[in-house]
Amino acid sequence: MVMFGITGDLAKRKLLPAIYDLANRGLLSPSFSLVGVGRRNWSHEDMVEYVKECVQNAARTPWREPMWEQLAAGMRFVTFENFEDDEAYERLAKVLNDLDETRGTHGNRAFYLSIPPNWFPAVTERVARCGLIDESPGSWRRVIIEKPFGHDQESARELDRLVARIVRPDDVFRVDHYLGKETVQNILALRFANTIFEPLWNSSYVDHVQITMAEDIGIGTRAGYYDSIGTARDVIQNHLLQLLALTAMEEPTSLDAAAVRSEKEKVLDCVRLGKDLSLTTARGRYGSGFQGGVKVRSYLEEDGVPGESTTETFAALRLTVENRRWAGVPFYLRAGKRLARRVTEIAVVFKQPPFLPFSSAATAGMGNNTIVIRVQPDEGITLRFGSKVPGTHMELRDVSMDFGYGASFNEESPEAYERLILDALLGDAPLFPHQREVDLSWRILDPVIEHWSQQGAPQTYRPGSWGPQSAIDLLARDNRVWRRS
Ligand code: BG6
């Protein structure tokens, strides 16, 4: 694996620990080699030291010296003055050929581009020009790219054309790390391995669906990236729309990449926005205040955020899926930073029964039946339904039935990146979004972003709250409320 951006934040926190964890679980070939590419003037040993520190800080599995030594023996670093440094690509080619001979990597190469997308053209062109991507008989070459896949539909298409010039579509792996999460893969198991849920999973029984991705942290030191992106592009275009697609899709004929994608694409293709985007979308940005008793800065006060910024740190949308199964069922999506707590969940909220043989006083404490897929933290599924309160009266109240991964399974879930890196190395594609899914997601989002660009600054919300008033109003217009996660 050749990693562009090995000194970046993602590599440090996720990719390098995941590689070690995979090796430690015996899932990487002993000949696996990691070539880091970066601007630092490092020797191979410097890189080994750096990776060791990252692994020791963030790996999930225990430290095992012999394992580490085997992995470290296959690490190399190639200094790039910049990504247009032609001569550096020649050196990279030499290092790779050398590894083929000394480690037995057999010409198999995965290029992991964990770098800002504006560098993709320079890198991909040179990688191609130096023959690094040309397959030799019996070997494979793959490109793994991190989001953002463009900043709108047009730029995403442009990026795709660029990558397609050097590598076959099946050899491009676009990472949406949400798809690597166990709880997200479990949506397919819940829906298609069981009998009891699927008959209810449609507009006859479902009132609406709420998909929430809340984070309690601010943007930290990521202003450079975040301010040009905002919440909608950062997580709705990819993670939340993928969650919607998995929740709403029809049963695939198999779990092959092509079959799953095709069902997800059909759903994304029939997602519609509301007519008046002022009423069916909301956006906000966090102000200053206290969160968990700690004083926090407003978004505008974060380091590197320009004073005239209008970037949102919270976004909510009301979408509909115009097909037979979902007609008339709104899907509400919301995501934001500095919210009350960290939680990602999908709540499928069912309709009220058509008739209740109880007094209205008896059912006053009851809400709608709900299935909550708890993506994180506290991974699991909750079923909310009404039950009789013990006593002489018939009084009903909501209760929960819980499945928790921690309680039901002994083994800890692997990190999303472990699964994704392994799948990319194996050439197994079901968990990677296809270009058409990316394209369809931008089709949904582009008009919203265009609309917001004419609305000035987003509404301010209090840190530690659940977002701006406009998000509450969005549901109130439909006589609904956001679920208290
Ligand atoms: C990333 C976003 O895709 O997901 C970040 O760029 C966000 O802004 C992160 O913080 C959250 O990931 P997770 O796995 O912690 O929910």
Side-chain angles (χ1 to χ4, degrees):
M1 175 172 283
V2 181
M3 193 177 286
F4 287 79
I6 194 164
T7 54
D9 193 51
L10 182 71
K12 180 174 165 182
R13 287 187 306 111
K14 300 282 182 187
L15 307 180
L16 298 172
I19 288 174
Y20 171 80
D21 287 328
L22 281 174
N24 218 2
R25 291 165 63 206
L27 295 170
L28 290 187
S29 148
S31 59
F32 175 84
S33 307
L34 178 68
V35 180
V37 166
R39 256 181 304 208
R40 302 193 191 177
N41 201 4
W42 272 355
S43 64
H44 300 321
E45 291 73 26
D46 292 332
M47 172 172 137
V48 168
E49 272 313 300
Y50 175 79
V51 179
K52 185 174 183 180
E53 199 185 315
C54 300
V55 168
Q56 290 187 327
N57 285 337
R60 192 174 62 81
T61 57
W63 181 255
R64 290 202 298 133
E65 197 63 32
M67 183 70 259
W68 168 252
E69 274 164 20
Q70 179 185 310
L71 197 59
M75 289 185 193
R76 306 284 184 273
F77 187 76
V78 180
T79 303
F80 272 50
E81 192 93 340
N82 55 54
F83 292 130
E84 289 162 334
D85 178 359
D86 290 324
E87 187 260 337
Y89 290 84
E90 304 289 343
R91 276 187 281 124
L92 173 62
K94 223 173 135 305
V95 168
L96 293 176
N97 291 337
D98 185 52
L99 284 169
D100 286 343
E101 279 169 31
T102 56
R103 299 267 301 173
T105 42
H106 295 299
N108 297 325
R109 280 150 210 191
F111 293 90
Y112 202 124
L113 305 190
S114 177
I115 52 175
N118 52 328
W119 282 113
F120 283 8
V123 172
T124 46
E125 266 164 35
R126 285 170 179 80
V127 161
R129 209 188 303 148
C130 295
L132 287 167
I133 205 79
D134 303 338
E135 280 178 16
S136 47
S139 71
W140 49 258
R141 305 286 154 101
R142 296 182 189 128
V143 174
I144 307 168
I145 50 180
E146 278 286 341
K147 74 178 180 61
F149 314 122
H151 56 269
D152 57 13
Q153 193 176 36
E154 194 38 53
S155 56
R157 287 181 179 174
E158 181 55 40
L159 174 64
D160 185 55
R161 281 192 285 272
L162 187 84
V163 178
R165 281 216 299 268
I166 66 158
V167 57
R168 282 193 306 256
D170 286 351
D171 291 328
V172 183
F173 291 76
R174 294 172 190 78
V175 175
D176 180 325
H177 78 282
Y178 262 61
L179 298 183
K181 292 184 192 272
E182 282 291 335
T183 41
V184 173
Q185 292 157 41
N186 194 40
I187 300 172
L188 297 184
L190 174 82
R191 294 192 52 203
F192 304 126
N194 297 301
T195 313
I196 56 177
F197 303 112
E198 202 51 22
L200 307 178
W201 216 259
N202 56 56
S203 63
S204 303
Y205 296 96
V206 175
D207 181 71
H208 70 281
V209 178
Q210 297 186 11
I211 304 181
T212 298
M213 178 186 171
E215 293 181 275
D216 52 6
I217 50 169
I219 57 151
T221 54
R222 295 169 79 214
Y225 161 79
Y226 203 86
D227 196 63
S228 60
I229 294 272
T231 305
R233 288 187 174 112
D234 186 36
V235 297
I236 293 191
Q237 186 272 337
N238 36 72
H239 309 329
L240 268 71
L241 285 174
Q242 284 289 329
L243 294 182
L244 180 150
L246 291 167
T247 306
M249 70 190 232
E250 296 300 318
E251 186 172 70
T253 49
S254 74
L255 288 187
D256 284 355
V260 176
R261 275 172 189 169
S262 140
E263 296 306 335
K264 283 197 284 174
E265 285 167 13
K266 283 187 220 161
V267 170
L268 292 170
D269 206 13
C270 34
V271 169
R272 298 285 177 272
L273 292 163
K275 282 204 182 66
D276 184 346
L277 295 178
S278 314
L279 302 177
T280 55
T281 68
R283 85 195 157 118
R285 119 181 128 191
Y286 58 83
S288 59
F290 284 87
Q291 189 166 30
V294 178
K295 181 139 182 50
V296 293
R297 292 191 279 188
S298 69
Y299 177 71
L300 283 184
E301 290 163 340
E302 299 279 20
D303 295 335
V305 173
E308 67 284 4
S309 166
T310 57
T311 301
E312 80 283 358
T313 60
F314 175 98
L317 307 180
R318 180 194 196 276
L319 302 172
T320 50
V321 178
E322 304 286 326
N323 62 17
R324 176 174 278 236
R325 186 191 278 262
W326 294 114
V329 178
F331 283 69
Y332 301 101
L333 273 48
R334 65 173 165 169
K337 303 264 184 205
R338 283 242 181 276
L339 297 181
R341 64 189 198 91
R342 175 174 182 253
V343 59
T344 300
E345 64 169 40
I346 302 162
V348 178
V349 182
F350 291 88
K351 292 185 171 167
Q352 293 278 350
F355 170 74
L356 284 169
F358 306 94
S359 69
S360 53
T363 54
M366 247 187 79
N368 295 31
N369 294 168
T370 305
I371 293 177
V372 185
I373 300 170
R374 302 194 310 268
V375 174
Q376 66 187 25
D378 186 23
E379 291 81 359
I381 293 171
T382 301
L383 186 57
R384 296 278 290 165
F385 55 95
S387 186
K388 181 181 173 304
V389 180
T392 47
H393 296 308
M394 180 53 85
E395 186 195 339
L396 302 160
R397 207 178 291 160
D398 279 339
V399 293
S400 293
M401 207 151 80
D402 261 353
F403 148 60
Y405 274 77
S408 300
F409 299 112
N410 287 332
E411 59 270 43
E412 201 191 331
S413 298
E415 272 283 326
Y417 274 103
E418 286 173 55
R419 175 69 195 263
L420 297 176
I421 290 174
L422 182 65
D423 281 8
L425 292 174
L426 294 172
D428 203 9
L431 300 181
F432 296 88
H434 191 258
Q435 166 60 19
R436 178 140 168 78
E437 290 167 70
V438 173
D439 194 74
L440 288 166
S441 303
W442 282 121
R443 177 194 64 78
I444 298 165
L445 215 56
D446 277 358
V448 176
I449 291 171
E450 168 62 26
H451 170 75
W452 287 346
S453 70
Q454 291 150 21
Q455 306 296 308
Q459 200 175 24
T460 303
Y461 59 92
R462 205 169 38 78
S465 69
W466 284 102
Q469 181 61 36
S470 52
I472 298 169
D473 297 344
L474 192 159
L475 259 73
R477 271 180 222 112
D478 293 347
N479 281 326
R480 297 189 176 103
V481 287
W482 291 105
R483 223 184 78 80
R484 251 314 149 88
S485 301

